[in-house]
Amino acid sequence: RVRRIDPKAQEAFLKSRYNQKFHLDSETLANLKLAIQLDPGYAEAHAALATFYTNRARLELGSPQDSYPIAKAFAL
């Protein structure tokens, strides 16, 4: 079965992925959160947010104690 993704959610997701080196800026975060707000079942956006927070901790841009639980929540 194919799941239809809200076109506005997909647009926000694609904006988050466009021309960002590590996808770790505030615009990327805002677009990913918007994609999930528009389409809560959008799995790829959830996975991208999990990756966002994991990379944030890995690159020491945020504390692992703060970032990893958020990443895990989005991954699940």
Side-chain angles (χ1 to χ4, degrees), residues 1 9 20 23 33 39:
R1 186 175 129 188
Q20 304 293 323
H23 307 289
K33 287 184 174 184
D39 190 345

Side-chain angles (χ1 to χ4, degrees), residues 14-32:
L14 292 174
K15 282 181 181 178
S16 80
R17 309 318 281 168
Y18 179 74
N19 202 21
Q20 304 293 323
K21 187 171 183 181
F22 288 108
H23 307 289
L24 294 174
D25 61 10
S26 60
E27 184 179 353
T28 297
L29 180 59
N31 280 317
L32 288 172

